[in-house]
Amino acid sequence: MSWVHEHRFPDSLALAHALSGEIKVDLEEAIQERGAASLVVSGGRTPARLFEQLRGEALDWSKVWITLADERWVETTAAASNEKLVRETLLTGPAAAAHFVGLKNPAPAPEAGADWATRALTRVPHPFDVVLLGMGDDGHTASLFPGSLALGKALDRSVPPGCIAINSLTAPHARLSLNLSALLDSRRIILHIEGESKWQVYQRAKAAGPVAELPVRSVLHQKEVPMDVYWAP
Ligand SMILES: O=C1O[C@H](COP(=O)(O)O)[C@@H](O)[C@H](O)[C@H]1O
């Protein structure tokens, strides 16, 4: 997998500084070349420190569009909401001027919500300039979970880019996730992982094997979009 560039750091603060600077450069170039930039971010616990660094970068944030790779089907004020994390840790200070398109919406259920979110995503300039993904210890990325009934459809490249309703067999909450076609409708994908156990899962995912077992393989083993992996202990 020589097309995947690995970046290892001594700690998460060093990683946050380096990755924040890297994303800033990509967004800046996009604004210069196309007048606007787009950034897809993930939720969970890992990206908070990075977001706190990124929000202070000197950028014309009013030209940046931000959306989510996935969302839990909970109120956007709930502790589990990825939107809440992004609003509280990224969309403050200078970055508050960015345009944010959340995935959670007023639809009565996730399936209808996925259609709503797919329509909302069309407002975000694409191909996305940067897609920032996380990974769980079970090898899920975005909300593409091993064992999910909707995983086959989510990974099917004949399905147009969009959002899908998906459940995990192990993690709480119904989810919305960008499908693989949407994640790959991008100029660059960055996998941001921290901790020794995730490094071990990543090593397994780098080896050939079923994507359904470790869905992160769907982005690691593709050759359409340049891919970087950022890791700190
Ligand atoms: O549930 C999720 O998990 C992954 C990984 O989260 P982390 O807490 O282990 O960093 C995350 O990338 C995804 O956005 C989130 O919904």
Side-chain angles (χ1 to χ4, degrees), residues 66 69 83 92 113 119 127-128 159 161 167 176 191 194 203 210 226 229:
I66 299 176
E83 176 169 336
T92 68
R119 286 192 296 276
F128 304 125
V159 176
N167 285 296
L176 296 184
L191 180 66
E194 298 194 5
Q203 295 307 315
V229 176

Side-chain angles (χ1 to χ4, degrees), residues 14-231:
L15 184 154
H17 275 103
L19 182 50
S20 173
E22 195 57 24
I23 294 170
K24 179 212 165 171
V25 169
D26 281 357
L27 300 182
E28 205 163 45
E29 282 176 7
I31 293 169
Q32 272 164 16
E33 287 169 22
R34 293 177 290 281
S38 52
L39 170 65
V40 178
V41 296
S42 291
R45 286 154 299 153
T46 308
R49 194 186 290 265
L50 169 66
F51 291 166
E52 284 160 10
Q53 183 68 30
L54 186 59
R55 70 188 182 202
E57 295 287 0
L59 264 176
D60 185 351
W61 285 99
S62 69
K63 296 194 168 117
V64 178
W65 291 75
I66 299 176
T67 189
L68 285 161
D70 70 310
E71 179 60 287
R72 292 94 180 256
W73 193 254
V74 297
E75 291 308 316
T76 56
T77 49
S81 163
N82 286 341
E83 176 169 336
K84 177 178 161 74
L85 170 85
V86 170
R87 288 195 181 281
E88 291 180 353
T89 60
L90 178 57
L91 299 175
T92 68
H99 306 267
F100 178 70
V101 175
L103 301 183
K104 177 67 171 71
N105 58 72
E111 289 69 23
D115 295 339
W116 191 103
T118 296
R119 286 192 296 276
L121 282 169
T122 60
R123 291 165 46 212
V124 181
H126 55 96
F128 304 125
D129 292 300
V130 180
V131 171
L132 187 62
L133 293 175
M135 184 190 77
D137 282 329
D138 58 359
H140 83 267
T141 193
S143 274
L144 307 179
F145 283 91
S148 296
L149 285 179
L151 185 64
K153 191 175 169 202
L155 297 175
D156 181 352
R157 292 303 311 282
S158 70
V159 176
C163 211
I164 190 160
I166 192 160
N167 285 296
S168 161
L169 300 181
T170 49
H173 313 297
R175 312 284 181 117
L176 296 184
S177 182
L178 268 59
N179 61 20
L180 183 59
S181 298
L183 295 174
L184 297 184
D185 185 16
S186 57
R187 294 189 165 84
R188 182 179 191 185
I189 299 176
I190 298 170
L191 180 66
H192 171 196
I193 50 176
E194 298 194 5
E196 198 51 49
S197 64
K198 288 194 182 177
W199 182 251
Q200 295 310 325
V201 176
Y202 167 64
Q203 295 307 315
R204 282 175 50 217
K206 276 205 308 188
V211 170
E213 177 194 44
L214 297 171
V216 70
R217 284 193 174 119
S218 62
V219 289
L220 289 176
H221 293 267
Q222 52 80 31
K223 290 184 183 168
E224 294 167 49
V225 184
M227 174 97 207
D228 292 86
V229 176
Y230 278 70
W231 176 83

